[in-house]
Amino acid sequence: MHLDHTHHGPAAVSADAHRPDGTRRALRIGLGGPVGSGKTATVAALCRALRDELSLAVVTNDIYTREDAEFLLREAVLPPERITAVETGACPHTAIRDDISANLEAVEDLEDEVGPLDLILVESGGDNLTATFSKGLVDAQIFVIDVAGGDDIPRKGGPGVTTADLLVVNKTDLAPYVGSDLARMAADAKAQRAELPVVFQSLRAEPGVTDVAAWVRGRLTAWAA
Amino acid sequence: MSRAALLVLADGRFPAGGHAHSGGAEAAVKAGRITSAASLEDFCRGRLHTAGLVAGALAAAAALGVEPRELDAAADARTPSPALRGAARRLGRQLMRAARASWPSAELDALAGEFPKGAHQPVVLGVAARAAGLGPADAAYCAAYESVSGPATATVRLLSLDPFDATGVLARLAPELDRVADAAVEAARRVLDEGVDALPAASGPVLEIGAEWHAAWPVRLFAS
């Protein structure tokens, strides 16, 4: 995408890989998924895993509060100036897909104010199975579901499950208690996603977010190449 | 340029950030001033003849080529609430991005360079209309319509109001929208000779107070 004909002045348009000053902008990764599946917990764990090796920041899209941003602040996963909350007007999917302007400003302001940044994580407000990020906002997206939300979610599919660059099935530690069949979830996810990767994780025990962090590092390597 | 550009610019799905703002409706709903389609209509009528008229005149003047910096200062002077000024600039910045992608123009680039954090939204709207080959009346209609369509859409979400009733409100306001747009263009033309003091300064104090109250809430659905 290359709509900014001028290459000077502020605000490159959308997915332009370079900032107005010609430097490469940060890689942007979106995290979406249903309410309560563990998006914020995954963001927090990623920040802890990556903050010593990367310059990173987070944008949250809370539906009606600053709760997700405040959780990250309370957990002190990053300094407060590296966490921005975007207000979404009761429609979190609109802010990440149909009208991404507020989120684009948030990521650009973060790069201006605390940059240079290697990575910006954009967390969607909890939404439904059809919510996906615009390619104008993020370079890759992670869809987070959990075993307690029903082991039929991978079979049901939907744009998030089917097309996300990484599918994370969270809270595997709960599977025995909620009667979820992890092997079935894995087989259904494989059927929906073919070669696209799937990670099963529990943040309650080792190795926690390790696999997702490794995937993020791989995307960063490809982005910087 | 095509007149149909007006449809693109005025489309509620034009990606310029408006979906996250209620135009004061969230505060009015919470205060009990909007409870039904009838009270939504009263609210929209008030907003149209105050904020809508001022926004329409600013947009029309910008579309006529009046210096945007002067219009932006005039907009500040007509917006007592700091929360509303902030919202207008954020929306102006968001509209700028969509407008530059849609109708690349040197005037939009210059305005973006001068106001990297955003000029008042109606000023950007007028310059965008100009870039799209539209005239002052088109810009005034866009601004005046947005002043009522935003609250109507937000109220559908806030009160679960029947969407057909909300659309009926907008349809019934159409003749008044015509008159407000006409008045806005007339004022904008006077600006060419008399300067920005010829712009209307109608204001709704309850909107301004409500915006300050709303901005302080810890929990809300809309940004303004």
Side-chain angles (χ1 to χ4, degrees), chain A residues 6 64 87 89 99 101 109, chain B residues 17 93-94 100 109 157 220:
Chain A
T6 55
Y64 55 85
E87 290 176 299
D99 183 349
S101 48
D109 284 350
Chain B
R93 183 177 171 194
Q94 291 174 248
R100 287 174 87 193
D109 291 348
R157 296 188 204 162
R220 58 183 181 236

Side-chain angles (χ1 to χ4, degrees), chain B residues 176-220:
Chain B
E176 282 179 67
L177 263 160
D178 287 338
R179 291 199 290 280
V180 166
D182 286 347
V185 172
E186 194 188 314
R189 292 201 187 283
R190 283 174 45 214
V191 171
L192 293 174
D193 297 324
E194 301 168 31
V196 294
D197 286 351
L199 289 166
S203 104
V206 177
L207 279 175
E208 304 277 340
I209 294 164
E212 289 299 309
W213 179 51
H214 180 269
W217 298 356
V219 173
R220 58 183 181 236

Side-chain angles (χ1 to χ4, degrees), chain A residues 1 14-19 23-26 223:
Chain A
M1 190 138 159
S14 300
D16 203 326
H18 292 87
R19 308 188 61 220
T23 56
R24 177 164 282 252
R25 64 163 171 77
W223 176 249

